[in-house]
Amino acid sequence: MKSMPKPTKKDRPKKAKKSQKIKTLDLDLWFSICVRERSDWTCQHCGKRYPPTISEWTGNPGNPALHCSHFVGRANYSVRVDPLNAEAHCYGCHSFFEQNPHEHTEWIKGRLGSLYGVLIEKASNVMIGKQVRHEKQEAAEHYRRQYEIMKEQRERGKVGRIDFIGYI
Protein backbone atom coordinates (compact mmCIF):
# COMPACT_ATOMS: atom_id res chain seq x y z
CA MET A 1 0.00 0.00 0.00
CA LYS A 2 1.35 3.41 -1.04
CA SER A 3 1.60 6.16 1.52
CA MET A 4 -0.05 9.48 0.80
CA PRO A 5 2.33 12.30 -0.17
CA LYS A 6 2.91 14.94 2.47
CA PRO A 7 0.83 18.06 1.81
CA THR A 8 2.74 21.12 0.63
CA LYS A 9 1.99 24.80 1.24
CA LYS A 10 0.08 25.05 -2.03
CA ASP A 11 -2.22 22.21 -0.90
CA ARG A 12 -3.27 24.02 2.28
CA PRO A 13 -6.49 26.01 2.25
CA LYS A 14 -5.86 29.72 1.85
CA LYS A 15 -6.67 32.00 4.76
CA ALA A 16 -9.23 34.68 4.16
CA LYS A 17 -7.59 38.05 3.61
CA LYS A 18 -8.09 40.65 6.29
CA SER A 19 -10.18 43.59 5.22
CA GLN A 20 -8.21 46.63 4.16
CA LYS A 21 -9.43 49.12 6.75
CA ILE A 22 -8.37 52.68 6.08
CA LYS A 23 -6.51 54.15 9.02
CA THR A 24 -8.31 56.95 10.83
CA LEU A 25 -6.17 60.00 11.46
CA ASP A 26 -6.64 63.10 13.63
CA LEU A 27 -7.49 64.76 10.35
CA ASP A 28 -10.38 62.35 9.77
CA LEU A 29 -11.59 62.80 13.32
CA TRP A 30 -11.82 66.60 13.18
CA PHE A 31 -13.26 66.59 9.67
CA SER A 32 -15.91 64.10 10.76
CA ILE A 33 -16.86 66.25 13.74
CA CYS A 34 -17.16 69.30 11.46
CA VAL A 35 -19.47 67.39 9.10
CA ARG A 36 -21.72 66.33 11.98
CA GLU A 37 -21.73 69.79 13.55
CA ARG A 38 -22.45 71.39 10.17
CA SER A 39 -25.64 69.37 9.97
CA ASP A 40 -26.55 70.21 13.59
CA TRP A 41 -26.14 66.48 14.36
CA THR A 42 -28.99 65.63 12.00
CA CYS A 43 -29.11 62.97 9.27
CA GLN A 44 -29.19 64.84 5.98
CA HIS A 45 -31.28 62.15 4.31
CA CYS A 46 -34.02 61.19 6.78
CA GLY A 47 -33.84 64.17 9.16
CA LYS A 48 -33.34 62.24 12.41
CA ARG A 49 -31.50 64.34 14.99
CA TYR A 50 -28.88 62.98 17.37
CA PRO A 51 -27.45 64.54 20.52
CA PRO A 52 -24.10 66.23 19.92
CA THR A 53 -21.88 63.91 21.89
CA ILE A 54 -18.16 64.28 21.44
CA SER A 55 -15.48 63.87 24.03
CA GLU A 56 -13.60 67.10 24.52
CA TRP A 57 -10.59 65.05 25.62
CA THR A 58 -10.25 62.80 22.61
CA GLY A 59 -12.34 64.56 20.00
CA ASN A 60 -14.02 61.21 19.43
CA PRO A 61 -17.50 61.38 17.95
CA GLY A 62 -19.42 59.70 20.74
CA ASN A 63 -22.60 58.83 18.88
CA PRO A 64 -21.92 55.93 16.51
CA ALA A 65 -25.40 56.20 15.02
CA LEU A 66 -24.58 59.38 13.06
CA HIS A 67 -21.83 58.87 10.49
CA CYS A 68 -19.66 61.08 8.35
CA SER A 69 -20.66 59.56 5.01
CA HIS A 70 -18.35 60.08 2.04
CA PHE A 71 -19.58 60.03 -1.55
CA VAL A 72 -16.12 59.40 -3.04
CA GLY A 73 -14.36 56.90 -0.74
CA ARG A 74 -11.88 58.01 1.91
CA ALA A 75 -9.03 56.28 0.10
CA ASN A 76 -9.08 59.21 -2.35
CA TYR A 77 -7.08 61.88 -0.49
CA SER A 78 -8.00 64.55 -3.04
CA VAL A 79 -11.52 64.73 -1.57
CA ARG A 80 -11.13 62.73 1.66
CA VAL A 81 -11.63 65.87 3.74
CA ASP A 82 -13.51 68.04 1.27
CA PRO A 83 -16.80 69.41 2.65
CA LEU A 84 -18.49 68.74 -0.72
CA ASN A 85 -17.70 65.04 -0.39
CA ALA A 86 -19.28 64.28 2.98
CA GLU A 87 -22.65 64.51 4.68
CA ALA A 88 -23.94 63.38 8.05
CA HIS A 89 -26.06 60.24 7.65
CA CYS A 90 -27.55 57.96 10.24
CA TYR A 91 -26.47 54.34 10.22
CA GLY A 92 -29.55 53.28 8.25
CA CYS A 93 -29.25 55.93 5.53
CA HIS A 94 -25.48 55.39 5.25
CA SER A 95 -26.05 51.65 4.80
CA PHE A 96 -28.80 52.31 2.25
CA PHE A 97 -26.53 54.53 0.15
CA GLU A 98 -23.63 52.04 0.35
CA GLN A 99 -25.94 49.30 -0.96
CA ASN A 100 -27.56 51.56 -3.58
CA PRO A 101 -24.79 53.62 -5.23
CA HIS A 102 -27.11 54.84 -8.01
CA GLU A 103 -29.47 56.29 -5.39
CA HIS A 104 -26.51 57.89 -3.62
CA THR A 105 -25.30 59.45 -6.86
CA GLU A 106 -28.74 60.87 -7.65
CA TRP A 107 -29.11 62.19 -4.11
CA ILE A 108 -25.69 63.86 -4.08
CA LYS A 109 -26.27 65.38 -7.55
CA GLY A 110 -29.53 66.87 -6.29
CA ARG A 111 -27.83 68.15 -3.16
CA LEU A 112 -24.78 69.69 -4.86
CA GLY A 113 -26.26 70.79 -8.18
CA SER A 114 -23.52 72.26 -10.37
CA LEU A 115 -20.94 71.65 -7.61
CA TYR A 116 -21.19 67.92 -8.34
CA GLY A 117 -18.89 68.45 -11.34
CA VAL A 118 -16.44 70.36 -9.14
CA LEU A 119 -16.34 67.44 -6.68
CA ILE A 120 -15.70 64.89 -9.43
CA GLU A 121 -12.99 67.08 -10.95
CA LYS A 122 -11.29 67.50 -7.54
CA ALA A 123 -11.46 63.74 -6.97
CA SER A 124 -9.26 63.17 -10.03
CA ASN A 125 -6.67 65.80 -9.05
CA VAL A 126 -3.76 63.82 -7.61
CA MET A 127 -1.85 66.99 -6.68
CA ILE A 128 -4.54 67.92 -4.13
CA GLY A 129 -4.28 64.42 -2.67
CA LYS A 130 -0.50 64.71 -2.36
CA GLN A 131 -0.80 68.07 -0.63
CA VAL A 132 -3.37 66.76 1.89
CA ARG A 133 -1.21 63.70 2.63
CA HIS A 134 1.83 65.90 3.15
CA GLU A 135 -0.01 68.42 5.35
CA LYS A 136 -2.14 66.06 7.50
CA GLN A 137 -1.36 67.79 10.79
CA GLU A 138 -1.97 71.28 9.41
CA ALA A 139 -5.25 70.12 7.90
CA ALA A 140 -6.31 68.48 11.18
CA GLU A 141 -5.62 71.73 13.02
CA HIS A 142 -7.61 73.65 10.38
CA TYR A 143 -10.66 71.44 10.96
CA ARG A 144 -10.27 71.65 14.73
CA ARG A 145 -10.42 75.45 14.42
CA GLN A 146 -13.40 75.21 12.07
CA TYR A 147 -15.22 73.12 14.69
CA GLU A 148 -14.46 75.73 17.37
CA ILE A 149 -15.93 78.44 15.11
CA MET A 150 -19.11 76.41 14.52
CA LYS A 151 -19.39 75.61 18.23
CA GLU A 152 -19.20 79.34 19.06
CA GLN A 153 -21.94 80.04 16.51
CA ARG A 154 -24.15 77.38 18.14
CA GLU A 155 -23.53 78.91 21.56
CA ARG A 156 -24.69 82.26 20.18
CA GLY A 157 -27.95 80.61 19.10
CA LYS A 158 -27.35 79.63 15.47
CA VAL A 159 -29.47 76.64 14.48
CA GLY A 160 -29.58 74.46 11.39
CA ARG A 161 -26.78 74.00 8.92
CA ILE A 162 -23.52 75.87 9.47
CA ASP A 163 -21.10 75.54 6.59
CA PHE A 164 -17.38 75.36 7.23
CA ILE A 165 -14.33 76.13 5.13
CA GLY A 166 -12.46 73.22 3.57
CA TYR A 167 -8.71 72.92 3.92
CA ILE A 168 -8.03 73.14 0.17
Side-chain angles (χ1 to χ4, degrees), residues 37-42 154 157-163:
E37 184 64 41
R38 172 180 67 186
S39 73
D40 199 14
W41 297 81
T42 302
R154 293 264 184 245
K158 179 118 166 107
V159 295
R161 187 176 178 97
I162 299 176
D163 284 317

Side-chain angles (χ1 to χ4, degrees), residues 130-147:
K130 286 180 180 181
Q131 183 178 351
V132 171
R133 268 197 180 116
H134 182 70
E135 299 173 5
K136 288 178 204 164
Q137 288 308 115
E138 294 90 339
E141 182 59 24
H142 168 81
Y143 286 116
R144 188 195 63 74
R145 286 191 310 270
Q146 289 297 301
Y147 170 67

Side-chain angles (χ1 to χ4, degrees), residues 33-54 62-67 88-93 147 150-151 153-155 157-162:
I33 290 169
C34 285
V35 168
R36 296 166 204 225
E37 184 64 41
R38 172 180 67 186
S39 73
D40 199 14
W41 297 81
T42 302
C43 176
Q44 298 300 284
H45 186 244
C46 73
K48 184 171 181 183
R49 188 159 197 293
Y50 294 85
T53 52
I54 65 166
N63 194 328
L66 188 66
H67 298 184
H89 288 141
C90 68
Y91 173 80
C93 292
Y147 170 67
M150 289 189 286
K151 201 165 95 171
Q153 290 175 336
R154 293 264 184 245
E155 289 170 1
K158 179 118 166 107
V159 295
R161 187 176 178 97
I162 299 176

Side-chain angles (χ1 to χ4, degrees), residues 19 74 76:
S19 67
R74 287 189 321 122
N76 185 327

Side-chain angles (χ1 to χ4, degrees), residues 1-129:
M1 188 167 138
K2 275 188 164 176
S3 65
M4 295 290 289
K6 186 175 180 180
T8 63
K9 275 189 174 181
K10 69 177 184 177
D11 296 324
R12 293 181 194 154
K14 292 184 179 174
K15 292 180 183 177
K17 289 184 179 180
K18 291 182 181 179
S19 67
Q20 296 288 331
K21 188 171 181 180
I22 297 172
K23 185 176 178 184
T24 303
L25 311 167
D26 281 349
L27 171 58
D28 299 310
L29 192 80
W30 287 109
F31 176 73
S32 174
I33 290 169
C34 285
V35 168
R36 296 166 204 225
E37 184 64 41
R38 172 180 67 186
S39 73
D40 199 14
W41 297 81
T42 302
C43 176
Q44 298 300 284
H45 186 244
C46 73
K48 184 171 181 183
R49 188 159 197 293
Y50 294 85
T53 52
I54 65 166
S55 165
E56 294 296 335
W57 295 105
T58 64
N60 243 347
N63 194 328
L66 188 66
H67 298 184
C68 174
S69 171
H70 291 76
F71 177 66
V72 177
R74 287 189 321 122
N76 185 327
Y77 267 85
S78 297
V79 290
R80 181 174 180 150
V81 291
D82 190 302
L84 292 176
N85 189 41
E87 290 290 346
H89 288 141
C90 68
Y91 173 80
C93 292
H94 194 183
S95 295
F96 171 79
F97 282 141
E98 282 182 346
Q99 294 167 12
N100 298 281
H102 177 72
E103 294 286 334
H104 197 189
T105 300
E106 292 305 308
W107 186 84
I108 203 77
K109 281 181 176 179
R111 189 122 175 113
L112 295 178
S114 62
L115 292 176
Y116 177 80
V118 173
L119 173 62
I120 299 306
E121 189 175 315
K122 277 183 165 181
S124 65
N125 186 329
V126 294
M127 295 311 291
I128 294 173

